Amino acid sequence: MKNQILSLVFFMLTTTLMVVQGESKENVTTNQTEVRELITIAQTDARINQLTAVDYR
């Protein structure tokens, strides 16, 4: 009986850990997407500044 209780507790802890890891992975991918968007915006802004700095006379 003691082994069954320990197995149940271990199963519950393992399942909880898997759920928590799954949620944190979703947050990581969201953050990576936001970082990529910010990098793209920064690159676009830098290119616009380069183009406006060129003297076309």
Side-chain angles (χ1 to χ4, degrees), residues 27-49:
N27 292 336
V28 168
T29 56
T30 301
N31 291 338
Q32 288 174 349
T33 302
E34 291 173 358
V35 167
R36 286 186 190 130
E37 288 176 5
L38 290 174
I39 290 172
T40 303
I41 291 169
Q43 288 173 339
T44 304
D45 190 43
R47 288 181 185 137
I48 290 172
N49 289 337

Side-chain angles (χ1 to χ4, degrees), residues 1-56:
M1 182 71 178
K2 184 178 178 181
N3 287 341
Q4 290 176 339
I5 292 173
L6 289 175
S7 295
L8 179 62
V9 170
F10 180 74
F11 175 75
M12 289 170 51
L13 288 174
T14 305
T15 306
T16 305
L17 180 63
M18 289 170 55
V19 169
V20 169
Q21 285 179 341
E23 290 176 359
S24 67
K25 285 181 183 177
E26 290 175 6
N27 292 336
V28 168
T29 56
T30 301
N31 291 338
Q32 288 174 349
T33 302
E34 291 173 358
V35 167
R36 286 186 190 130
E37 288 176 5
L38 290 174
I39 290 172
T40 303
I41 291 169
Q43 288 173 339
T44 304
D45 190 43
R47 288 181 185 137
I48 290 172
N49 289 337
Q50 288 173 348
L51 289 175
T52 56
V54 173
D55 189 11
Y56 291 106

